[in-house]
């Protein structure tokens, strides 16, 4: 009874805050954290401590899948360089940099354990950033980069976290083993996610009942997550790959009823899970403060270390983004030069009176590539 009542109150709070955020112009996640902190100190409100497995295996897969199926593959591919820079390279560098900082501030914390903690705090959440960006009227390309980063950076951080924990426990022999473990987790996750996407899209395309299609759709993120985790890969990355593939193929494989149902259902799931996580973050603050061991670190010291780590992450991001912006400015001109080179090469082939079989294949391939680049 108490759990059901808390669920009703939670949904009511999410809807009320969503309405309030539109009127006051403040991102809903920020308000929800503050509301959660305030509610956690209300007398009679129980302490909240959500098990890690619930978040990783129960909330994160459908949350990322809901975002992935809405990601246009064309936009993602066009901005893959800045997205990879922010979601992979910057997360890894931030994890090691903040790990060194935490290792310095807490000498008793081993370097591998400190890097693991750095991996936890390194990926920024894109929900609040994109919601604020839309209100500010940021360019669509920048919003695409932020959304793409939000899809992949969690997977990078979780893979790095697993490798760092294994290194801390002595399960990895050295840096090379850690890099190999990281590469294995990524490659296997991509293969599993792609395979799940292909199979589930094929099965769903054969169903003509939206109810059955929706039921199968709700299972897809877990179908991708669990096998990848059992194989020692990144279940989160597998979910993202499966979601991007499903979203890309939906227009050609699913009918209008299935696409409308998918859109409404996954937007609802994303709203509840996305905002519910921020509310839970605020509700857990009281429990975290109560569990601080004053003999090791005081509350003030804990908060100070957290603020220093946050400041380090912000500075790293600023330093990283400046050269990234310069790179993003150069990419369109490089793309135009490559397109011009393709057109010239295609023109030379067309001028030749006769072409052998190899040249004909090359001509067809260049024509497809040129049309894609022009599009």
């Amino acid at each position: 009874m108490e759990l059901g009542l808390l669920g009703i109150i939670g949904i009511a709070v999410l809807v009320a805050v969503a309405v309030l955020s539109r009127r006051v112009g403040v991102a809903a996640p920020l308000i929800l954290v503050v509301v959660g902190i305030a509610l956690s100190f209300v007398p009679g409100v129980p302490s909240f401590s959500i098990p890690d497995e619930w978040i990783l295996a129960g909330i994160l897969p459908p949350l990322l899948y809901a975002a992935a199926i809405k990601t246009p593959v064309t936009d993602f591919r066009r901005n893959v360089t800045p997205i990879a820079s922010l979601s992979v390279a910057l997360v890894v560098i931030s994890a090691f940099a903040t790990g060194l900082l935490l290792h310095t501030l807490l000498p008793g914390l081993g370097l591998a354990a400190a890097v693991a903690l750095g991996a936890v705090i390194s990926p920024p959440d894109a929900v609040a950033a994109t919601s604020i960006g839309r209100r500010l009227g940021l360019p669509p390309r920048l919003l695409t980069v932020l959304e793409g980063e939000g899809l992949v950076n969690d997977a990078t951080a979780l893979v790095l976290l697993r490798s760092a924990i294994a290194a801390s426990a002595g399960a990895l022999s050295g840096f090379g083993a850690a890099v190999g473990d990281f590469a294995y987790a990524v490659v296997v996750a991509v293969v599993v996610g792609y395979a799940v996407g292909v199979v589930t899209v094929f099965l769903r395309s054969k169903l003509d009942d939206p109810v059955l299609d929706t039921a199968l759709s709700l299972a897809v993120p877990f179908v991708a997550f669990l096998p990848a985790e059992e194989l020692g890969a990144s279940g989160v990355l597998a979910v993202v790959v499966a979601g991007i593939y499903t979203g890309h193929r939906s227009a050609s494989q699913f009918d209008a009823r299935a696409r409308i149902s998918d859109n409404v259902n996954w937007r609802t799931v994303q709203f509840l899970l996305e905002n519910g996580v921020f509310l839970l973050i605020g509700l857990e603050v009281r429990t975290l403060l109560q569990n601080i061991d004053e003999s090791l670190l005081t509350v003030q010291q804990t908060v100070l270390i957290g603020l220093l780590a946050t400041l380090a992450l912000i500075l790293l991001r600023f330093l990283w983004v400046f050269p990234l912006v310069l790179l993003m400015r150069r990419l369109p001109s490089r793309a135009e030069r490559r397109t011009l080179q393709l057109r010239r090469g295609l023109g030379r082939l067309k001028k030749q009176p006769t072409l052998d079989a190899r040249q004909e294949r090359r001509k067809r391939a260049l024509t497809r590539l040129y049309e894609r680049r022009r599009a």
Side-chain angles (χ1 to χ4, degrees), residues 75-83 86 130 137-149 324-333 335:
D75 293 343
F76 189 90
R77 184 172 55 201
R78 183 180 297 129
N79 297 285
V80 69
T81 299
I83 289 174
L86 292 171
T130 52
L138 293 182
R141 186 184 180 194
L142 183 55
L143 292 175
T144 299
V145 171
L146 289 175
E147 291 173 348
E149 180 197 3
L324 178 62
V325 170
L326 296 177
L327 175 63
M328 291 177 66
R329 288 179 178 177
R330 291 173 59 89
L331 287 177
S333 59

Side-chain angles (χ1 to χ4, degrees), residues 155-178:
T156 303
L158 287 172
V159 173
L160 183 60
L161 173 64
R162 192 196 66 176
S163 299
I165 291 175
S168 177
L172 298 177
S173 57
F175 181 75

Side-chain angles (χ1 to χ4, degrees), residues 2 11 20 22 84 138 216 241-242 278 311:
E2 181 181 347
I11 293 176
L20 176 65
R22 295 171 184 172
L138 293 182
L216 184 56
V241 173
F278 285 100
L311 179 61

Side-chain angles (χ1 to χ4, degrees), residues 36-107:
I37 294 174
L39 288 175
S40 68
F41 288 97
V42 172
V45 175
S47 298
F48 282 86
S49 181
I50 307 299
D52 300 340
E53 294 78 11
W54 290 20
I55 301 296
L56 292 177
I59 295 180
L60 200 54
L63 183 58
L64 289 176
Y65 183 82
I69 59 175
K70 297 188 300 182
T71 302
V73 173
T74 303
D75 293 343
F76 189 90
R77 184 172 55 201
R78 183 180 297 129
N79 297 285
V80 69
T81 299
I83 289 174
S85 172
L86 292 171
S87 62
V88 179
L90 181 56
V91 169
V92 172
I93 291 174
S94 299
F96 277 93
T98 53
L100 289 172
L101 173 64
L102 294 170
H103 179 63
T104 303
L105 296 175
L106 302 170

Side-chain angles (χ1 to χ4, degrees), residues 3 6-11 13-14 17 28-41 45-56 58-60 63 269-289:
L3 185 61
L6 290 175
I8 294 172
I9 295 174
I11 293 176
V13 170
L14 296 182
V17 169
L30 303 179
I31 300 177
L32 284 167
V33 172
V34 176
V35 170
I37 294 174
L39 288 175
S40 68
F41 288 97
V45 175
S47 298
F48 282 86
S49 181
I50 307 299
D52 300 340
E53 294 78 11
W54 290 20
I55 301 296
L56 292 177
I59 295 180
L60 200 54
L63 183 58
V269 170
Q270 186 176 20
F271 167 77
L272 292 175
L273 295 181
E274 213 167 52
N275 292 283
V277 166
F278 285 100
L279 182 61
L280 286 173
I281 290 173
L283 289 170
E284 286 189 317
V285 167
R286 189 184 75 180
T287 304
L288 293 174
L289 293 177

Side-chain angles (χ1 to χ4, degrees), residues 27-356:
L30 303 179
I31 300 177
L32 284 167
V33 172
V34 176
V35 170
I37 294 174
L39 288 175
S40 68
F41 288 97
V42 172
V45 175
S47 298
F48 282 86
S49 181
I50 307 299
D52 300 340
E53 294 78 11
W54 290 20
I55 301 296
L56 292 177
I59 295 180
L60 200 54
L63 183 58
L64 289 176
Y65 183 82
I69 59 175
K70 297 188 300 182
T71 302
V73 173
T74 303
D75 293 343
F76 189 90
R77 184 172 55 201
R78 183 180 297 129
N79 297 285
V80 69
T81 299
I83 289 174
S85 172
L86 292 171
S87 62
V88 179
L90 181 56
V91 169
V92 172
I93 291 174
S94 299
F96 277 93
T98 53
L100 289 172
L101 173 64
L102 294 170
H103 179 63
T104 303
L105 296 175
L106 302 170
L109 187 65
L111 181 59
V115 171
L117 183 55
V120 173
I121 63 176
S122 292
D125 184 85
V127 177
T130 52
S131 61
I132 294 173
R134 289 190 181 94
R135 289 192 179 94
L136 295 177
L138 293 182
R141 186 184 180 194
L142 183 55
L143 292 175
T144 299
V145 171
L146 289 175
E147 291 173 348
E149 180 197 3
L151 282 177
V152 184
N153 61 8
D154 287 332
T156 303
L158 287 172
V159 173
L160 183 60
L161 173 64
R162 192 196 66 176
S163 299
I165 291 175
S168 177
L172 298 177
S173 57
F175 181 75
V179 173
D181 182 70
F182 186 92
Y184 170 82
V186 171
V187 172
V188 174
V190 171
V191 172
V192 171
Y194 182 78
V196 170
V198 171
V199 173
T200 55
V201 166
F202 173 77
L203 293 176
R204 291 178 60 192
S205 66
K206 303 302 179 183
L207 299 175
D208 58 358
D209 187 340
V211 175
L212 300 179
D213 181 75
T214 299
L216 184 56
S217 171
L218 294 175
V220 173
F222 303 102
V223 173
F225 181 85
L226 294 176
E229 287 291 319
E230 289 297 322
L231 292 172
S234 171
V236 172
L237 184 57
V239 170
V240 171
V241 173
I244 291 177
Y245 180 85
T246 302
H248 179 61
R249 300 292 295 174
S250 62
S252 59
Q253 297 295 322
F254 304 153
D255 59 23
R257 293 182 304 166
R259 295 198 302 272
I260 293 172
S261 176
D262 251 15
N263 182 46
V264 174
N265 291 330
W266 283 110
R267 283 181 62 188
T268 305
V269 170
Q270 186 176 20
F271 167 77
L272 292 175
L273 295 181
E274 213 167 52
N275 292 283
V277 166
F278 285 100
L279 182 61
L280 286 173
I281 290 173
L283 289 170
E284 286 189 317
V285 167
R286 189 184 75 180
T287 304
L288 293 174
L289 293 177
Q290 291 173 346
N291 291 335
I292 291 178
D293 190 348
E294 295 279 353
S295 62
L296 298 175
L297 283 174
T298 63
V299 175
Q300 292 78 8
Q301 290 173 326
T302 304
V303 173
L304 179 60
I305 291 174
L307 291 175
L308 288 174
T310 303
L311 179 61
L313 288 172
I314 294 173
L315 290 176
L316 279 170
R317 195 169 184 85
F318 267 106
L319 293 174
W320 189 271
V321 164
F322 280 118
L324 178 62
V325 170
L326 296 177
L327 175 63
M328 291 177 66
R329 288 179 178 177
R330 291 173 59 89
L331 287 177
S333 59
R334 288 177 59 189
E336 290 176 1
R337 288 197 299 270
R338 291 178 179 176
T339 304
L340 180 60
Q341 292 172 356
L342 275 174
R343 188 176 68 180
R344 289 173 178 173
L346 192 59
R348 287 193 294 268
L349 283 175
K350 290 180 178 179
K351 289 179 181 178
Q352 295 186 17
T354 57
L355 299 176
D356 56 26

